[in-house]
Amino acid sequence: MKTNPILTIDIGALCKNWRMLCDSAPNAKPAAVVKADAYGTGATKTAAALYDAGCRNFFVANGAEGANIRPHVGDSNIFILNGIDEESVSLFNEHRLTPVISNFDALNIWKANRLPGIRPIIQIDTGLNRLGFHESELCKISDTDKSEFSYVMSHLACADEPGHPMNMAQLTRFESMRRFFPGLPATLSASNGNFLGPEFQFDMVRFGVALYGGLTAAGFKPAPVMNLSAPVLQIIDLQPGESVGYNATFVAKKKTRVAVLAVGYADGLPWYIRISGRGKVFFGNASAPIIGSVCMDLTMVDVSDLPSVKVGDCAEIIGNHYGVDDLGRDSGTISYELLCRIGGGKRAERIYIK
Ligand SMILES: *Cc1c(COP(=O)(O)O)cnc(C)c1O
């Protein structure tokens, strides 16, 4: 009998999402963002599958992440979002990594260590106020330096709120700041921005969360890629007045049948779900509410209405019935964080399916 959670990564669903996203932006080059171990799904396997599906542009956060995927993506472009520093120049050279240059420190390191055949991206800030050159700085970059870049890039702050005025404001800013880079291809949007309209797609779209099943704008439902399930270790019959778990936060009002699942916050299931009181898992098509606190290794659910559930059955924690966005909403976080923390857990048995 299993005593561990099972994390299934559905490579078929990933590739399906990739193809649907490519189709949604037919005039732009599609890029895959595989930073943070491909949002917890496993960067080497995910990047290899996306490469087989035709992806030739990858984004990761730093040089080590780029080096990690290089053997799996042929001679694709690997863009490094956090830029280049002195220590990583040799790594960039060895693995042919392309920096995204966002400030003069990185630009100066680049100019002192140009890598043959590599054309960096320049990032400009249009309102996110994270990384990127500000408009007042652009006149200080020489035309020769500008001619080395392959793309001008920016990033949206509020793309997951389609009605937010920041979206149009940043689009206008981006179009205006492009005048400093005549003729240079441009990339503005990630998953959510892509669905704000074709005018947000420019020459390349950087798809991240939507590849991994995070729900984006209305009309696009990616297939779930990360599926977490856990076996029932024990069934308990509670009498009215008996409590469940730490701090006795759940007290049975009537006879209650409880299933103890082999999954906890060490596997990425947020403890906070106790505060919302909205946590649930699925057995087949039927849901069972989480009761009491999520423990480090165990979680209890009410299966009073599911008399057929028995020891050894598996509960879906995230998957087709209850996705990462559902769990995110019910536990006070976002799909992005859940993908990273569930995928970052070291204990689940990990299975890749096609
Ligand atoms: C993470 C990231 C992306 C991908 O964003 P998603 O919302 O996951 O699609 C794209 N561009 C930049 C600059 C990022 O940091």
Side-chain angles (χ1 to χ4, degrees):
M1 202 195 80
K2 286 192 189 300
T3 57
N4 246 5
I6 301 126
L7 182 61
T8 309
I9 307 295
D10 188 339
I11 294 292
L14 172 83
C15 292
K16 188 175 150 220
N17 293 339
W18 166 255
R19 285 190 298 271
M20 291 197 319
L21 290 166
C22 291
D23 290 348
S24 73
N27 299 318
K29 277 198 180 128
V33 182
V34 296
K35 63 194 181 189
D37 204 22
Y39 294 49
T41 63
T44 54
K45 292 214 167 56
T46 293
L50 291 168
Y51 179 79
D52 288 345
C55 181
R56 294 295 179 268
N57 293 285
F58 293 86
F59 282 85
V60 291
N62 62 25
E65 289 187 344
N68 184 41
I69 64 163
R70 173 53 81 198
H72 308 278
V73 299
D75 60 1
S76 300
N77 294 315
I78 302 178
F79 299 111
I80 310 298
L81 288 165
N82 285 3
I84 187 167
D85 61 277
E86 231 123 46
E87 272 119 80
S88 54
V89 168
S90 60
L91 193 70
F92 274 65
N93 194 17
E94 185 183 347
H95 299 281
R96 287 162 291 122
L97 309 176
T98 307
V100 175
I101 292 187
S102 302
N103 50 55
F104 284 108
D105 287 339
L107 182 60
N108 289 333
I109 291 170
W110 171 255
K111 282 161 70 176
N113 302 279
R114 285 188 178 84
L115 306 174
I118 299 281
R119 296 182 65 203
I121 290 180
I122 181 161
Q123 177 162 219
I124 58 176
D125 189 90
T126 52
L128 178 61
N129 282 310
R130 200 171 69 171
L131 293 177
F133 286 93
H134 289 254
E135 180 152 10
S136 58
E137 298 173 315
L138 294 181
C139 55
K140 296 177 204 143
I141 304 175
S142 73
D143 285 346
T144 335
D145 291 346
K146 282 180 192 164
S147 70
E148 293 190 50
F149 297 118
S150 54
Y151 287 91
V152 55
M153 170 179 142
S154 193
H155 194 46
L156 296 170
C158 307
D160 59 346
E161 300 174 65
H164 201 293
M166 273 289 273
N167 294 320
M168 279 313 293
Q170 284 192 267
L171 177 65
T172 308
R173 251 339 315 240
F174 189 58
E175 280 169 338
S176 151
M177 285 168 76
R178 281 189 75 192
R179 73 184 184 281
F180 289 93
F181 307 94
L184 189 60
T187 170
L188 175 64
S189 288
S191 301
N192 283 294
N194 177 63
F195 292 99
L196 294 174
E199 68 276 25
F200 282 83
Q201 294 173 336
F202 292 92
D203 302 295
M204 180 162 65
V205 182
R206 311 182 302 271
F207 294 113
V209 77
L211 285 172
Y212 309 106
L215 184 70
T216 55
F220 182 74
K221 282 210 180 209
V225 170
M226 195 181 271
N227 300 273
L228 183 68
S229 63
V232 175
L233 296 180
Q234 188 172 326
I235 302 272
I236 304 161
D237 288 303
L238 295 182
Q239 296 304 316
E242 288 189 299
S243 68
V244 171
Y246 290 129
N247 307 104
T249 54
F250 175 87
V251 179
K253 295 196 179 68
K254 53 183 175 57
K255 284 193 171 184
T256 303
R257 192 164 179 265
V258 177
V260 182
L261 304 177
V263 64
Y265 56 77
D267 306 297
L269 183 61
W271 183 92
Y272 183 89
I273 201 115
R274 166 179 141 191
I275 309 291
S276 80
R278 287 166 66 188
K280 59 181 167 212
V281 304
F282 276 83
F283 291 94
N285 290 322
S287 68
I290 293 176
I291 54 176
S293 284
V294 173
C295 312
M296 191 178 290
D297 325 309
L298 300 165
T299 298
M300 282 69 87
V301 297
D302 182 346
V303 291
S304 303
D305 296 335
L306 306 174
S308 66
V309 168
K310 57 182 189 309
V311 169
D313 286 359
C314 261
E316 171 191 307
I317 313 300
I318 54 165
N320 279 312
H321 298 87
Y322 192 62
V324 274
D325 288 284
D326 301 317
L327 181 58
R329 183 198 57 231
D330 290 343
S331 53
T333 179
I334 51 174
S335 55
Y336 297 76
E337 190 193 359
L338 284 175
L339 289 164
C340 291
R341 62 200 261 183
I342 292 173
K346 295 193 168 51
R347 193 163 56 185
E349 177 186 345
R350 199 179 264 253
I351 301 169
Y352 286 85
I353 57 169
K354 285 250 154 76

